[in-house]
Amino acid sequence: FVPFSVEQLQAYKDITNARYDWRLLLEDTGAKLLMVSTLDQPDLQEALSASEDWCGLYRDDLAVIYQRGACKP
């Protein structure tokens, strides 16, 4: 039993690897918070760090938590 469709799994991989359309795929999920693994999702973490659409709220050795929206000064 696989709880996710092939399309959902492919979208997850594309977002995780920060493929060219990762922003659109992520927008389609409606996610407002993300917990990104620093070890397993370095491409996504780099893309989110460079994005003005996501703000890093917390970081440790294992993960970074991002919130949708610009960081407030």
Side-chain angles (χ1 to χ4, degrees):
F1 172 75
V2 178
F4 301 104
S5 70
V6 172
E7 291 82 15
Q8 287 172 313
L9 290 173
Q10 186 61 52
Y12 171 79
K13 288 179 186 178
D14 292 343
I15 292 168
T16 292
N17 294 322
R19 201 179 82 167
Y20 71 92
D21 61 348
W22 71 271
R23 285 183 178 91
L24 293 174
L25 293 169
L26 195 52
E27 181 78 26
D28 288 345
T29 70
K32 297 189 183 336
L33 283 174
L34 299 175
M35 185 168 67
V36 179
S37 169
T38 57
L39 300 175
D40 298 328
Q41 297 173 303
D43 294 334
L44 180 57
Q45 194 229 325
E46 183 179 333
L48 290 167
S49 292
S51 174
E52 294 181 6
D53 299 327
W54 291 90
C55 180
L57 299 177
Y58 173 82
R59 172 187 301 270
D60 64 24
D61 293 339
L62 300 177
V64 183
I65 296 176
Y66 290 92
Q67 179 177 14
R68 186 182 295 277
C71 292
K72 297 186 177 162

Coordinates of all heavy atoms in Angstrom, one line a residue:
F1 N 0.8 -1.2 0.0 CA 0.0 0.0 0.0 C 0.9 1.2 0.0 O 1.7 1.4 0.8 CB -0.9 0.0 1.2 CG -1.7 1.2 1.4 CD1 -2.8 1.5 0.6 CD2 -1.3 2.1 2.4 CE1 -3.5 2.7 0.7 CE2 -2.1 3.3 2.6 CZ -3.1 3.6 1.7
V2 N 0.6 2.1 -0.9 CA 1.3 3.4 -1.0 C 0.3 4.5 -0.8 O -0.6 4.6 -1.6 CB 2.1 3.6 -2.4 CG1 2.8 4.9 -2.5 CG2 3.0 2.4 -2.6
P3 N 0.5 5.3 0.2 CA -0.5 6.4 0.5 C -0.5 7.6 -0.4 O -1.4 8.4 -0.3 CB -0.2 6.8 1.9 CG 1.3 6.5 2.1 CD 1.5 5.3 1.2
F4 N 0.5 7.7 -1.3 CA 0.5 8.8 -2.2 C 0.5 8.3 -3.6 O 1.1 7.3 -4.0 CB 1.8 9.6 -1.9 CG 1.9 10.1 -0.5 CD1 2.7 9.5 0.4 CD2 1.1 11.2 -0.1 CE1 2.8 10.0 1.7 CE2 1.2 11.7 1.2 CZ 2.0 11.1 2.1
S5 N 0.0 9.2 -4.5 CA 0.0 8.8 -5.9 C 1.4 9.1 -6.5 O 2.2 9.7 -5.9 CB -1.1 9.7 -6.7 OG -0.6 11.1 -6.7
V6 N 1.6 8.5 -7.7 CA 2.8 8.7 -8.4 C 3.0 10.2 -8.6 O 4.2 10.7 -8.5 CB 2.8 8.0 -9.7 CG1 4.0 8.3 -10.6 CG2 2.7 6.5 -9.5
E7 N 2.0 10.9 -9.0 CA 2.1 12.4 -9.2 C 2.5 13.1 -7.9 O 3.4 14.0 -8.0 CB 0.8 13.0 -9.7 CG 0.4 12.5 -11.1 CD -0.3 11.1 -11.1 OE1 -0.7 10.6 -10.0 OE2 -0.3 10.5 -12.2
Q8 N 2.0 12.7 -6.8 CA 2.4 13.4 -5.5 C 3.8 13.1 -5.2 O 4.5 14.0 -4.7 CB 1.4 12.9 -4.4 CG 0.1 13.5 -4.5 CD -0.9 12.8 -3.5 OE1 -0.9 11.6 -3.3 NE2 -1.6 13.7 -2.7
L9 N 4.2 11.9 -5.4 CA 5.6 11.5 -5.1 C 6.6 12.3 -6.0 O 7.6 12.7 -5.6 CB 5.8 10.0 -5.2 CG 5.2 9.2 -4.1 CD1 5.3 7.7 -4.5 CD2 5.8 9.5 -2.8
Q10 N 6.2 12.4 -7.3 CA 7.1 13.1 -8.2 C 7.1 14.6 -7.9 O 8.2 15.2 -7.9 CB 6.6 13.0 -9.7 CG 7.5 13.6 -10.7 CD 8.9 12.9 -10.7 OE1 9.0 11.7 -10.8 NE2 9.9 13.7 -10.5
A11 N 6.0 15.2 -7.4 CA 6.0 16.6 -7.0 C 6.9 16.8 -5.8 O 7.7 17.8 -5.7 CB 4.6 17.1 -6.7
Y12 N 6.8 15.8 -4.9 CA 7.7 15.9 -3.7 C 9.2 15.9 -4.1 O 10.0 16.7 -3.6 CB 7.4 14.7 -2.7 CG 8.4 14.6 -1.6 CD1 8.3 15.5 -0.5 CD2 9.4 13.7 -1.6 CE1 9.2 15.4 0.5 CE2 10.3 13.6 -0.6 CZ 10.2 14.5 0.5 OH 11.1 14.4 1.5
K13 N 9.5 15.0 -5.0 CA 10.9 14.9 -5.4 C 11.3 16.2 -6.1 O 12.4 16.7 -5.9 CB 11.1 13.7 -6.4 CG 11.1 12.4 -5.7 CD 11.2 11.3 -6.7 CE 11.0 9.9 -6.1 NZ 11.2 8.9 -7.1
D14 N 10.5 16.7 -6.9 CA 10.8 18.0 -7.7 C 10.9 19.1 -6.7 O 11.8 20.0 -6.9 CB 9.7 18.2 -8.7 CG 9.7 17.2 -9.9 OD1 10.7 16.5 -10.0 OD2 8.7 17.2 -10.6
I15 N 10.1 19.2 -5.7 CA 10.2 20.3 -4.7 C 11.5 20.1 -3.9 O 12.3 21.0 -3.8 CB 9.0 20.3 -3.8 CG1 7.8 20.8 -4.6 CG2 9.3 21.3 -2.6 CD1 6.4 20.6 -3.8
T16 N 11.7 18.9 -3.5 CA 12.9 18.6 -2.7 C 14.2 18.9 -3.4 O 15.2 19.5 -2.8 CB 12.9 17.1 -2.2 OG1 11.9 16.9 -1.3 CG2 14.2 16.7 -1.6
N17 N 14.2 18.7 -4.7 CA 15.4 18.9 -5.5 C 15.4 20.3 -6.1 O 16.3 20.7 -6.9 CB 15.5 17.9 -6.6 CG 15.8 16.5 -6.1 OD1 16.5 16.3 -5.1 ND2 15.1 15.5 -6.7
A18 N 14.4 21.2 -5.7 CA 14.3 22.6 -6.2 C 14.4 22.6 -7.7 O 15.1 23.5 -8.3 CB 15.4 23.4 -5.5
R19 N 13.7 21.7 -8.3 CA 13.6 21.8 -9.8 C 13.0 23.1 -10.3 O 12.4 23.8 -9.5 CB 12.7 20.6 -10.3 CG 13.0 20.2 -11.7 CD 12.1 19.1 -12.1 NE 10.8 19.6 -12.5 CZ 9.9 19.0 -13.1 NH1 10.1 17.7 -13.4 NH2 8.7 19.5 -13.4
Y20 N 13.2 23.4 -11.5 CA 12.8 24.7 -12.0 C 11.4 25.2 -11.7 O 11.1 26.4 -11.5 CB 13.0 24.8 -13.6 CG 11.9 23.9 -14.3 CD1 10.8 24.5 -14.7 CD2 12.2 22.6 -14.5 CE1 9.8 23.7 -15.4 CE2 11.2 21.8 -15.2 CZ 10.1 22.4 -15.6 OH 9.1 21.6 -16.3
D21 N 10.4 24.3 -11.5 CA 9.1 24.6 -11.2 C 8.7 24.4 -9.7 O 7.5 24.3 -9.4 CB 8.1 23.9 -12.1 CG 8.2 22.4 -12.0 OD1 9.2 21.9 -11.3 OD2 7.3 21.7 -12.5
W22 N 9.7 24.3 -8.8 CA 9.4 24.0 -7.4 C 8.5 25.0 -6.8 O 7.6 24.6 -5.9 CB 10.7 23.8 -6.6 CG 11.4 25.1 -6.4 CD1 12.4 25.7 -7.2 CD2 11.3 26.0 -5.2 NE1 12.8 26.9 -6.6 CE2 12.2 27.1 -5.4 CE3 10.5 26.0 -4.1 CZ2 12.2 28.1 -4.5 CZ3 10.6 27.0 -3.2 CH2 11.5 28.1 -3.4
R23 N 8.6 26.2 -7.1 CA 7.7 27.3 -6.5 C 6.3 27.0 -6.8 O 5.4 27.1 -6.0 CB 8.1 28.7 -7.0 CG 9.4 29.2 -6.4 CD 9.6 30.6 -6.9 NE 10.8 31.2 -6.3 CZ 12.0 31.1 -6.7 NH1 12.3 30.5 -7.9 NH2 13.1 31.6 -6.1
L24 N 6.0 26.7 -8.1 CA 4.6 26.4 -8.5 C 4.0 25.2 -7.8 O 2.9 25.2 -7.4 CB 4.5 26.3 -10.0 CG 4.8 27.6 -10.8 CD1 4.8 27.2 -12.3 CD2 3.7 28.6 -10.5
L25 N 4.9 24.1 -7.8 CA 4.4 22.9 -7.2 C 4.1 23.1 -5.7 O 3.2 22.6 -5.1 CB 5.5 21.8 -7.3 CG 5.7 21.3 -8.8 CD1 7.0 20.5 -8.9 CD2 4.5 20.6 -9.3
L26 N 5.0 23.9 -5.0 CA 4.8 24.2 -3.6 C 3.6 25.0 -3.4 O 2.8 24.8 -2.4 CB 6.1 24.8 -3.0 CG 6.2 24.9 -1.5 CD1 6.0 23.5 -0.9 CD2 7.6 25.4 -1.2
E27 N 3.4 26.0 -4.3 CA 2.2 26.9 -4.2 C 0.9 26.0 -4.3 O 0.0 26.3 -3.5 CB 2.2 27.9 -5.3 CG 1.1 28.8 -5.4 CD 1.2 30.0 -4.3 OE1 2.3 30.3 -4.0 OE2 0.2 30.5 -4.0
D28 N 0.9 25.0 -5.1 CA -0.2 24.1 -5.3 C -0.6 23.4 -4.0 O -1.7 23.0 -3.8 CB 0.0 23.2 -6.4 CG -0.1 23.8 -7.8 OD1 -0.6 25.0 -7.9 OD2 0.4 23.2 -8.8
T29 N 0.4 23.2 -3.1 CA 0.1 22.4 -1.9 C -0.6 23.3 -0.9 O -1.2 22.8 0.1 CB 1.4 21.9 -1.3 OG1 2.2 23.0 -0.7 CG2 2.2 21.1 -2.3
G30 N -0.4 24.6 -1.0 CA -1.0 25.5 0.0 C -0.2 25.6 1.3 O -0.6 26.1 2.3
A31 N 1.0 25.0 1.3 CA 1.8 25.0 2.5 C 2.2 26.4 2.9 O 2.5 27.3 2.1 CB 3.1 24.2 2.2
K32 N 2.2 26.7 4.2 CA 2.6 27.9 4.8 C 3.8 27.8 5.7 O 4.5 28.8 6.0 CB 1.4 28.5 5.6 CG 0.2 28.8 4.7 CD -0.8 29.6 5.4 CE -2.1 29.9 4.6 NZ -2.1 29.9 3.2
L33 N 4.1 26.6 6.1 CA 5.2 26.3 7.0 C 5.9 25.1 6.4 O 5.3 24.1 5.9 CB 4.9 25.9 8.4 CG 4.5 27.1 9.3 CD1 4.0 26.5 10.6 CD2 5.7 28.0 9.6
L34 N 7.3 25.1 6.4 CA 8.0 24.0 5.9 C 9.1 23.6 6.9 O 9.8 24.6 7.4 CB 8.7 24.3 4.6 CG 7.9 24.6 3.4 CD1 8.7 25.1 2.2 CD2 7.0 23.5 3.0
M35 N 9.4 22.4 7.1 CA 10.5 21.9 7.9 C 11.4 21.2 6.9 O 11.0 20.1 6.4 CB 10.1 21.0 9.1 CG 11.3 20.7 9.9 SD 10.9 19.9 11.5 CE 10.3 18.3 10.9
V36 N 12.6 21.7 6.6 CA 13.5 21.2 5.6 C 14.7 20.6 6.2 O 15.3 21.3 7.1 CB 13.9 22.4 4.6 CG1 14.8 21.9 3.6 CG2 12.6 23.0 4.0
S37 N 15.0 19.4 5.9 CA 16.2 18.7 6.4 C 17.4 19.3 5.8 O 17.6 19.5 4.6 CB 16.1 17.2 6.0 OG 17.4 16.6 6.3
T38 N 18.4 19.7 6.7 CA 19.6 20.3 6.2 C 20.5 19.2 5.5 O 21.3 19.5 4.7 CB 20.4 20.9 7.4 OG1 20.6 19.9 8.4 CG2 19.7 22.1 7.9
L39 N 20.3 17.9 5.9 CA 21.1 16.8 5.4 C 20.5 16.3 4.1 O 21.2 16.0 3.1 CB 21.2 15.7 6.4 CG 21.9 16.1 7.7 CD1 21.9 14.9 8.7 CD2 23.3 16.5 7.4
D40 N 19.1 16.1 4.1 CA 18.5 15.4 2.9 C 17.9 16.3 1.9 O 17.5 15.9 0.8 CB 17.4 14.5 3.5 CG 17.9 13.4 4.4 OD1 19.0 13.0 4.2 OD2 17.2 13.0 5.3
Q41 N 17.8 17.6 2.2 CA 17.1 18.6 1.2 C 18.0 19.8 1.0 O 17.4 20.9 1.1 CB 15.7 18.9 1.7 CG 14.8 17.7 1.8 CD 13.5 18.1 2.4 OE1 13.4 18.5 3.5 NE2 12.4 17.8 1.7
P42 N 19.3 19.7 0.8 CA 20.1 20.9 0.7 C 19.7 21.8 -0.5 O 19.8 23.0 -0.4 CB 21.5 20.3 0.5 CG 21.3 19.0 -0.1 CD 20.0 18.5 0.5
D43 N 19.2 21.2 -1.6 CA 18.9 22.1 -2.7 C 17.6 22.9 -2.4 O 17.6 24.1 -2.7 CB 18.6 21.2 -4.0 CG 19.8 20.5 -4.5 OD1 20.9 21.0 -4.3 OD2 19.7 19.5 -5.1
L44 N 16.7 22.3 -1.8 CA 15.5 23.1 -1.4 C 15.8 24.1 -0.3 O 15.4 25.3 -0.4 CB 14.4 22.1 -0.8 CG 13.1 22.8 -0.4 CD1 12.5 23.6 -1.5 CD2 12.1 21.8 0.1
Q45 N 16.7 23.8 0.6 CA 17.0 24.7 1.7 C 17.8 25.9 1.0 O 17.5 27.1 1.4 CB 17.9 24.1 2.7 CG 18.1 24.9 3.9 CD 19.5 25.0 4.4 OE1 20.3 24.1 4.2 NE2 19.9 26.2 4.9
E46 N 18.6 25.7 0.1 CA 19.3 26.8 -0.6 C 18.3 27.7 -1.4 O 18.4 28.9 -1.3 CB 20.4 26.2 -1.5 CG 21.2 27.3 -2.2 CD 22.3 26.7 -3.1 OE1 22.7 25.6 -2.9 OE2 22.6 27.4 -4.1
A47 N 17.4 27.1 -2.1 CA 16.4 27.8 -2.8 C 15.5 28.6 -1.9 O 15.2 29.8 -2.2 CB 15.6 26.8 -3.7
L48 N 15.1 28.1 -0.8 CA 14.2 28.8 0.1 C 15.0 30.0 0.8 O 14.4 31.1 0.9 CB 13.7 27.9 1.2 CG 12.6 26.9 0.7 CD1 12.4 25.8 1.8 CD2 11.3 27.6 0.3
S49 N 16.2 29.7 1.1 CA 17.1 30.8 1.7 C 17.2 32.0 0.7 O 17.3 33.1 1.2 CB 18.5 30.3 2.0 OG 18.4 29.3 3.1
A50 N 17.3 31.7 -0.6 CA 17.5 32.8 -1.6 C 16.1 33.4 -2.0 O 16.1 34.5 -2.6 CB 18.2 32.2 -2.8
S51 N 15.0 32.8 -1.6 CA 13.7 33.3 -2.0 C 13.2 34.4 -1.1 O 13.4 34.3 0.2 CB 12.7 32.1 -1.9 OG 11.4 32.6 -2.2
E52 N 12.6 35.4 -1.7 CA 12.0 36.5 -0.9 C 10.6 36.1 -0.4 O 9.9 36.8 0.4 CB 11.9 37.8 -1.7 CG 13.3 38.3 -2.0 CD 13.2 39.6 -2.8 OE1 12.1 40.1 -3.0 OE2 14.2 40.1 -3.2
D53 N 10.1 34.9 -0.9 CA 8.7 34.5 -0.5 C 8.7 33.6 0.7 O 7.6 33.3 1.2 CB 8.2 33.6 -1.7 CG 8.0 34.5 -3.0 OD1 7.8 35.7 -2.8 OD2 8.2 33.9 -4.0
W54 N 9.9 33.3 1.3 CA 9.9 32.4 2.4 C 10.9 33.0 3.5 O 12.0 33.5 3.1 CB 10.4 31.0 2.1 CG 9.3 30.3 1.3 CD1 9.2 30.3 -0.1 CD2 8.3 29.5 1.8 NE1 8.1 29.5 -0.4 CE2 7.5 29.0 0.7 CE3 7.9 29.1 3.1 CZ2 6.4 28.2 0.8 CZ3 6.8 28.3 3.2 CH2 6.0 27.9 2.1
C55 N 10.6 32.9 4.7 CA 11.4 33.4 5.8 C 11.8 32.3 6.7 O 11.0 31.5 7.2 CB 10.6 34.5 6.6 SG 11.5 35.2 7.9
G56 N 13.1 32.2 7.0 CA 13.6 31.2 7.9 C 13.3 31.7 9.4 O 13.6 32.8 9.8
L57 N 12.6 30.8 10.1 CA 12.2 31.1 11.5 C 13.1 30.4 12.5 O 13.3 30.9 13.6 CB 10.8 30.6 11.7 CG 9.7 31.2 10.9 CD1 8.3 30.6 11.2 CD2 9.6 32.7 11.1
Y58 N 13.6 29.3 12.2 CA 14.4 28.5 13.1 C 15.4 27.6 12.3 O 15.1 27.1 11.2 CB 13.5 27.6 13.9 CG 14.2 26.6 14.8 CD1 14.7 27.0 16.1 CD2 14.5 25.3 14.4 CE1 15.4 26.1 16.9 CE2 15.2 24.4 15.2 CZ 15.6 24.8 16.4 OH 16.3 24.0 17.3
R59 N 16.6 27.4 12.9 CA 17.6 26.6 12.3 C 18.4 25.9 13.4 O 18.8 26.4 14.4 CB 18.5 27.5 11.5 CG 19.8 26.7 10.9 CD 20.7 27.7 10.3 NE 20.1 28.4 9.2 CZ 20.1 28.0 7.9 NH1 20.6 26.9 7.6 NH2 19.5 28.8 7.0
D60 N 18.7 24.6 13.1 CA 19.6 23.8 14.0 C 20.4 22.9 13.0 O 20.3 23.1 11.8 CB 18.9 23.1 15.1 CG 17.9 22.0 14.7 OD1 18.1 21.5 13.6 OD2 17.0 21.7 15.5
D61 N 21.1 22.0 13.6 CA 22.0 21.1 12.8 C 21.2 20.2 11.9 O 21.7 19.6 10.9 CB 22.9 20.3 13.7 CG 23.9 21.1 14.4 OD1 24.2 22.3 13.9 OD2 24.4 20.7 15.4
L62 N 19.9 19.9 12.2 CA 19.1 18.9 11.5 C 18.1 19.5 10.5 O 17.8 18.9 9.5 CB 18.4 18.0 12.4 CG 19.3 17.2 13.4 CD1 18.4 16.4 14.3 CD2 20.2 16.3 12.6
A63 N 17.6 20.7 10.8 CA 16.5 21.2 10.0 C 16.4 22.8 10.1 O 17.0 23.4 11.0 CB 15.1 20.7 10.5
V64 N 15.7 23.3 9.1 CA 15.4 24.7 9.1 C 13.8 24.8 8.9 O 13.3 24.1 8.1 CB 16.1 25.5 7.9 CG1 15.7 26.9 7.9 CG2 17.6 25.2 7.9
I65 N 13.2 25.7 9.6 CA 11.8 25.9 9.5 C 11.6 27.2 8.8 O 12.1 28.3 9.2 CB 11.1 25.9 10.9 CG1 11.2 24.5 11.5 CG2 9.6 26.3 10.7 CD1 10.6 24.4 12.9
Y66 N 10.8 27.2 7.7 CA 10.5 28.4 6.9 C 9.0 28.7 7.0 O 8.2 27.7 7.1 CB 10.8 28.1 5.4 CG 12.3 28.1 5.2 CD1 13.0 26.8 5.2 CD2 13.0 29.2 4.9 CE1 14.3 26.8 5.0 CE2 14.4 29.1 4.7 CZ 15.0 27.9 4.7 OH 16.4 27.9 4.5
Q67 N 8.7 30.0 7.0 CA 7.3 30.4 6.9 C 7.1 31.2 5.6 O 8.0 32.0 5.2 CB 6.9 31.3 8.1 CG 5.5 31.8 8.1 CD 5.2 32.7 9.3 OE1 6.1 33.1 10.0 NE2 4.0 32.9 9.5
R68 N 5.9 31.0 5.0 CA 5.7 31.7 3.7 C 5.5 33.2 4.1 O 4.9 33.5 5.0 CB 4.4 31.2 3.1 CG 4.1 31.8 1.7 CD 2.8 31.3 1.1 NE 2.8 29.9 0.8 CZ 3.3 29.4 -0.3 NH1 3.9 30.2 -1.2 NH2 3.3 28.1 -0.5
G69 N 6.1 34.0 3.3 CA 6.1 35.4 3.5 C 7.5 36.0 3.7 O 8.4 35.3 4.1
A70 N 7.6 37.3 3.4 CA 8.8 38.0 3.6 C 9.2 38.1 5.1 O 8.3 38.2 5.9 CB 8.8 39.4 3.0
C71 N 10.5 38.1 5.4 CA 10.9 38.3 6.7 C 10.7 39.7 7.2 O 10.9 40.6 6.4 CB 12.4 38.0 6.9 SG 12.8 36.2 6.6
K72 N 10.3 39.9 8.4 CA 10.1 41.3 8.9 C 11.4 41.8 9.5 O 12.0 41.0 10.2 CB 8.9 41.3 9.9 CG 7.7 40.8 9.2 CD 6.5 41.0 10.2 CE 5.3 40.6 9.3 NZ 4.1 40.3 9.9
P73 N 11.7 43.0 9.2 CA 13.0 43.6 9.7 C 13.0 43.7 11.3 O 12.0 43.7 11.9 CB 13.1 44.9 9.1 CG 11.8 45.2 8.4 CD 11.0 43.9 8.4

